[in-house]
Amino acid sequence: MIRYLRFITKRLILLLFVLFGLSLMTFLLARVVPSDPAATYLGPRPQPEQVERIRAQMGLDRPLPVQYALYLRDLLSGDFGTSLSTHQPVLASIREYLPASLELMITAMAIALAVGLFLGTLSARHENTLIDHTGRFIAITGVSLPAFWLGLLLQILFFRVLGILPLGGRIDTMVSLIHPVKTITGFLCLDSLLTGNWTAFRSALLHLILPACTLAAYSIGIVTRMTRSSLLEVAQEEFVTAARAEGFSERRIAGKYMLKNALGPTFTSAGLAFASMLTGTFYIEAIFYWPGLGSYTANAILSIDYPVIMGVTLLGAVFYVVVNLLVDILISFIDPRIRI
Amino acid sequence: MGSRVSAFKRFLHFFLKNPLTLFGIVLVFLFLVIALAAPVLAPYPDQGRGESLMTARLQAPSAEHLLGTDALGRDILSRILFGSRVSLKAALTVILIVIAVGTPLGIIAGYVGGVVDDVIMRISDLFLAFPSLLLAVAIVAALGPNLTNAMIALSVPWWPWYTRITRSQTLSLKERQFVDAARSVGVPAPKIMFRHILPNCITPVIVQATLDMGYIILALAGLSFLGLGSQPPTADWGVMISEGRSFILTHWWISTFPGVAILFSVLGFNLVGDGIAEVMNPKRRR
């Protein structure tokens, strides 16, 4: 237990350093923005005295170290600044848009783990056969596909040609008007399921399929590759030979001994992939008109709304570090040999 | 001479056993040839460079325009061929920047050691601790959207990988006799680092660069798609997909073909990288 606490403390200290470094970086980035933030805030053709007033209000006339100290103080009190275009507090907007993105990311990760573990195991069990080559090819294609392009292709195929899935959005507008979903978790599918709202559930689920599959493509590749290679590595371990000598069935060896030992690296890379899915949502939500954090950020990027961009970057980094920490803890439970 | 033949045979044998790697090499080779010869290969070179022809807008693929035309009447095939140059040039530049920054830092960290090593490695840990694409987006959004800034933005989170590789390589080289010998005859440290250690770091660095090429091409196309990379009328694959986005339900070819080009070039580098990784991993070699 003490081991865990020490490990977690160490990682949390690293997180603090990362956050400090990142806040410094986002601060400096925000200060090298070529366009004057005060002018962006005021919109087109501001009066010079207006600009001066806003600059003073934003603290832009103070020396840089003072500005940074103020920025840190605001961050610590949960003030991520105000969007230059919507004039809404950044943190409140992030909180509003996050559930939609999380629903998408969690679904995508579930798909990626299911498909990836299956394909990876299949590939490893048939090493250097046609099955293996096919599995590897699918995996490498997964990491080579531009997600934004895959999304467009799926839209053409399933909406335009086959006409069986919706083009975008989270739910049918008519359905959401006639059968409104009560918000419990913010995950539309889950909420409609919990409240027994079947019409809404069906619509939400249909809307989720294409964006989730698009987002999953890259992670499917990652999980498949990692499962395959770590299984093959484990296969050369002595305990596998021993198990074989004992006469255990191949199925038991693969399922019980090998997979368990191969899961560590697989979960680590899946964790990394999950954390970087946040960037993937920038593209995918824009393509599928998914009203989440990704669309919110993509819009902010287009209008160079830097408080939003920096807020999301900071949050994304925290998310990344925390997910990796959780995965490391999870792995040490699966495989007690790992000393964390 | 005999050993060289057998090495060649080993290589041949490897490719026969690894058709995917061979396929990857073919794709990379095609990509390089197309990038070099685009002005000769393109049926409408001027349109590849951005000239538009409003009378030929949105034409479906035909004998005249094999892959159709876009909203400004430009031949898509020509623009894809020219796009390979943008992609290759940008990805190579990013790789060169990260090598130029990361490699010397790694050698210094490994050779000098002590506090210098600590400082360099902690800074690089910091850069590795957050998602690279997210950081790149933040940087390019702050610097302003264009291809140069996109390349800078991708380099910032990327150099630490090369620092790590060269550092560990330097640590093992430092103990070798030829370095000891150089030191004992009084060769100054900078000269040892860059005349004796650097050349021995080149192989792992090049291997890593091959592995990274695909990812960087993909990331650059993504930034361009978001409007953060190349700007129109540049024939950039990401820009082309984004330009065709509003037409996908009626004119599917505009976005589809540039995506195929991205897929094949990234796939090529990734297949080659995968093959190299397979050969390099001694545990897996039999």
Side-chain angles (χ1 to χ4, degrees), chain A residues 17-18 21-22 25 29-30 32-34 127-128 133 136-137 140-141 143-146 148-149 152-153 155-156 159-160 167 218 225 228-229 232-233 236-237 276 278-279 282-283 286-287 289 298 301-302 304 309-310 312-313 316-317 320-321, chain B residues 17-21 23 126-131 133-135 137-139 141-145 156 215 218-219 221-223 225-228 238 241 245 248-250 252 255-257 259-260 262-263 266-267 270-271 274 278 281 283-284 286:
Chain A
F17 271 104
V18 169
L22 191 70
M25 209 176 308
L29 281 175
V32 297
V33 177
E127 198 194 355
N128 281 330
H133 290 318
R136 275 177 63 200
F137 188 71
I140 299 176
T141 308
V143 295
S144 309
L145 272 171
F148 44 96
W149 176 72
L152 295 174
L153 284 197
Q155 281 180 328
I156 296 176
F159 175 75
R160 176 82 169 81
L167 183 66
Y218 183 79
R225 270 173 117 169
R228 175 184 179 272
S229 67
L232 287 177
E233 212 154 289
Q236 306 195 335
E237 299 273 353
S276 35
L278 193 64
T279 327
F282 296 178
Y283 309 102
I287 289 169
Y289 312 104
I301 290 170
L302 289 180
I304 316 290
I309 300 170
M310 298 315 161
V312 174
T313 307
Y320 193 77
V321 177
Chain B
K17 256 186 83 180
N18 295 272
L20 290 178
T21 311
F23 181 50
L126 204 64
F127 278 92
L128 291 176
F130 38 75
L133 254 184
L134 188 62
L135 183 62
V137 167
I139 294 172
L143 295 177
V156 172
Y215 190 91
L218 197 57
L223 287 176
F225 175 80
L226 282 179
L228 294 174
I241 295 179
R245 224 191 108 193
I248 55 149
L249 296 181
T250 46
W252 57 270
S255 287
T256 305
F257 294 123
V260 176
I262 299 178
L263 173 62
V266 177
L267 190 63
N270 282 346
L271 286 172
D274 200 59
E278 197 94 336
N281 189 347
K283 243 186 155 176
R284 300 263 306 103
R286 261 165 270 167

Side-chain angles (χ1 to χ4, degrees), chain A residues 106-118:
Chain A
I106 292 172
T107 315
M109 201 63 232
I111 297 174
L113 280 176
V115 178
L117 283 172
F118 174 74

Side-chain angles (χ1 to χ4, degrees), chain A residues 56-206:
Chain A
Q57 203 181 320
M58 292 173 133
L60 294 172
D61 52 350
R62 314 276 279 272
L64 275 185
V66 178
Q67 284 189 38
Y68 179 61
L70 290 175
Y71 175 72
L72 266 190
R73 192 198 63 196
D74 288 347
L75 282 184
L76 288 176
S77 61
D79 179 1
F80 279 48
T82 309
S83 158
L84 297 179
S85 52
T86 65
H87 296 210
Q88 296 292 316
V90 173
L91 199 61
S93 301
I94 289 179
R95 212 175 282 150
E96 183 187 334
Y97 290 115
L98 190 61
S101 295
L102 276 183
E103 182 178 35
L104 193 57
M105 289 163 65
I106 292 172
T107 315
M109 201 63 232
I111 297 174
L113 280 176
V115 178
L117 283 172
F118 174 74
L119 277 181
T121 317
L122 201 67
S123 249
R125 284 192 64 175
H126 302 271
E127 198 194 355
N128 281 330
T129 63
L130 189 63
I131 298 177
D132 181 29
H133 290 318
T134 314
R136 275 177 63 200
F137 188 71
I138 294 175
I140 299 176
T141 308
V143 295
S144 309
L145 272 171
F148 44 96
W149 176 72
L150 177 66
L152 295 174
L153 284 197
L154 292 176
Q155 281 180 328
I156 296 176
L157 182 64
F158 288 95
F159 175 75
R160 176 82 169 81
V161 179
L162 299 173
I164 48 176
L165 288 174
L167 183 66
R170 266 185 107 183
I171 190 167
D172 216 72
T173 318
M174 285 310 285
V175 172
S176 69
L177 287 176
I178 301 169
H179 306 273
V181 180
K182 207 170 136 243
T183 305
I184 303 170
T185 58
F187 293 1
L188 213 49
C189 276
L190 195 60
D191 287 352
S192 54
L193 194 66
L194 287 175
T195 52
N197 187 344
W198 297 111
T199 325
F201 176 67
R202 206 185 102 88
S203 174
L205 195 62
L206 286 178

Side-chain angles (χ1 to χ4, degrees), chain A residues 216-284:
Chain A
Y218 183 79
S219 307
I220 289 178
I222 298 280
V223 175
T224 308
R225 270 173 117 169
M226 219 53 209
T227 309
R228 175 184 179 272
S229 67
S230 38
L231 272 177
L232 287 177
E233 212 154 289
V234 170
Q236 306 195 335
E237 299 273 353
E238 280 172 1
F239 69 84
V240 175
T241 320
R244 238 173 233 140
E246 290 277 347
F248 290 140
S249 72
E250 279 301 311
R251 178 177 284 269
R252 175 156 175 199
I253 295 172
K256 188 153 179 193
Y257 300 107
M258 287 170 58
L259 196 58
K260 203 170 166 185
N261 282 284
L263 278 179
T266 307
F267 277 174
T268 306
S269 50
L272 287 171
F274 181 66
S276 35
M277 268 187 188
L278 193 64
T279 327
T281 61
F282 296 178
Y283 309 102
I284 285 153

